[in-house]
Amino acid sequence: MKIKDNDNVPQSVTLAVVGDDSRPKRYEELTFMDDFLFGKIMSDKDTCRRLLEIILHIDPDTEIADPVSQSSLRVAPDSKSVIVDVRTHDRLNDYDLEAQKQLHPNLPKRARYYQAMMDIDFLSPGREYIDLRNNYIVFICLHDLFHRGLPVYTFRNRCDEDTAVELNDCTIKIFLNASKCDTIKDKELRAFMEYVSTGRAASDYTATINDLVTRARENPTWKREYMDAMMDTVRQQREMREAEEQGEHRRALEDARRMLAYGDPVDKIADITQLSTEEVKQLQQDMAQ
């Protein structure tokens, strides 16, 4: 993979990373497990395919589509959209790889929603259900979501009454646990998860990733793109906070009006609603007119 100033992210596996805190990182502080660099590096077809070989043991000769990072899926204007960080497919399979620095209890249902959205996105009108590809959702986690001490958790739909009977809906959800990377038997997967956990490159593949991270940090175009994205995020967060504050202020005014109508004293209203005494007095005067 060559990193150039004018590199564009290709369009088509899915890898997503959530940061440990809400403070935007400086570009030079980003690591492989930060969503921006993760998406950029995994958007390279060879790098992405090799990771699929390591995690899912796909054939090395499998031809995958160009990976797409941070692609948005929405089935209707009023439905919840999803952002999949790196997504690709081959002739028979859809792949979504999600890297998680934080654990959230909603990850299993998030995986369910992602699979549904990817199926809807793929199955165009006129196609049959049998045409649906096998669907793999892979979460690369720093910690143990299920607290059972396993390095890998693989879920398929089975019959409660006879667990030997699979539904065969061809949906597979995999959660990798980097905190138990030392117990992984597969050498390449163990080395990859060790890199995820510690940043130590102990294999040719992780050494390649580490080199790509180093070179990516020196890419001025990507740095500008990241900074623009962070500015947009900060602006959106500020607008959300302002909207919330305005909504809280409106509710406080409504509460104050009701309390004034009941004859409650100004000081009590100000204390309960957190409005200033001057605001409550002004509201009282307005209501008296």
Side-chain angles (χ1 to χ4, degrees), residues 70-85:
Q70 296 292 303
S71 65
S72 177
L73 296 175
R74 183 193 292 269
V75 297
D78 57 348
S79 69
K80 181 177 178 61
S81 64
V82 299
I83 303 293
V84 290
D85 289 346

Side-chain angles (χ1 to χ4, degrees), residues 24 65 69 141 164 180 206 240 242 254 258 263:
S69 71
C141 303
K180 287 293 183 178
T206 54
M240 288 177 62
E242 291 174 351
E254 292 171 1
R258 284 194 292 270

Side-chain angles (χ1 to χ4, degrees), residues 7-51:
D7 268 352
N8 293 317
V9 179
Q11 301 299 310
S12 208
V13 159
T14 295
L15 309 163
V17 188
V18 177
D20 280 332
D21 54 52
S22 59
R23 177 187 65 84
K25 283 187 175 181
R26 294 174 57 248
Y27 184 71
E28 293 76 14
E29 297 175 332
L30 296 182
T31 68
F32 174 66
M33 283 293 285
D34 286 297
D35 57 354
F36 186 84
L37 283 193
F38 190 83
K40 290 293 189 184
I41 291 170
M42 284 296 132
S43 291
D44 175 70
K45 183 185 290 189
D46 292 336
T47 306
C48 186
R49 179 172 49 229
R50 179 60 182 140
L51 185 56

Side-chain angles (χ1 to χ4, degrees), residues 218-240:
E218 300 170 355
N219 186 311
T221 300
W222 287 3
K223 180 176 181 177
R224 286 193 296 271
E225 184 180 337
Y226 174 77
M227 296 305 296
D228 288 344
M230 289 302 97
M231 290 176 64
D232 285 343
T233 298
V234 170
R235 176 182 54 78
Q236 291 170 5
Q237 291 175 342
R238 183 176 63 249
E239 291 175 350
M240 288 177 62

Side-chain angles (χ1 to χ4, degrees), residues 32 191-201 206 209-210 213:
F32 174 66
F192 172 72
M193 292 306 291
E194 181 181 357
Y195 179 75
V196 165
S197 178
T198 67
R200 188 175 77 87
T206 54
I209 290 178
N210 200 54
V213 169

Side-chain angles (χ1 to χ4, degrees), residues 108-257:
K109 287 190 175 180
R110 183 171 141 198
R112 165 185 162 183
Y113 193 66
Y114 279 20
Q115 282 187 326
M117 294 289 280
M118 290 171 67
D119 283 343
I120 293 171
D121 183 61
F122 169 73
L123 201 64
S124 56
R127 302 195 70 166
E128 301 293 334
Y129 295 121
I130 194 67
D131 295 332
L132 286 170
R133 300 187 184 108
N134 303 324
N135 191 307
Y136 292 86
I137 305 285
V138 180
F139 281 87
I140 303 168
C141 303
L142 289 180
H143 309 290
D144 190 344
L145 176 62
F146 304 100
H147 307 290
R148 299 302 295 269
L150 297 178
V152 181
Y153 298 87
T154 302
F155 297 91
R156 302 171 188 267
N157 290 324
R158 298 180 184 275
C159 174
D160 282 348
E161 289 74 19
D162 184 348
T163 56
V165 179
E166 288 194 23
L167 182 60
N168 287 324
D169 60 347
C170 302
T171 61
I172 301 95
K173 303 174 185 69
I174 300 172
F175 296 81
L176 302 176
N177 170 23
S179 70
K180 287 293 183 178
C181 61
D182 58 330
T183 66
I184 298 175
K185 295 181 179 180
D186 182 271
K187 181 180 178 181
E188 288 294 326
L189 181 57
R190 182 172 65 249
F192 172 72
M193 292 306 291
E194 181 181 357
Y195 179 75
V196 165
S197 178
T198 67
R200 188 175 77 87
S203 66
D204 290 343
Y205 180 67
T206 54
T208 297
I209 290 178
N210 200 54
D211 180 60
L212 292 172
V213 169
T214 300
R215 287 191 283 150
R217 290 181 183 140
E218 300 170 355
N219 186 311
T221 300
W222 287 3
K223 180 176 181 177
R224 286 193 296 271
E225 184 180 337
Y226 174 77
M227 296 305 296
D228 288 344
M230 289 302 97
M231 290 176 64
D232 285 343
T233 298
V234 170
R235 176 182 54 78
Q236 291 170 5
Q237 291 175 342
R238 183 176 63 249
E239 291 175 350
M240 288 177 62
R241 285 195 301 270
E242 291 174 351
E244 290 174 357
E245 290 171 358
Q246 291 172 2
E248 291 174 357
H249 189 253
R250 283 196 299 270
R251 288 190 291 273
L253 290 174
E254 292 171 1
D255 291 341
R257 289 190 184 95

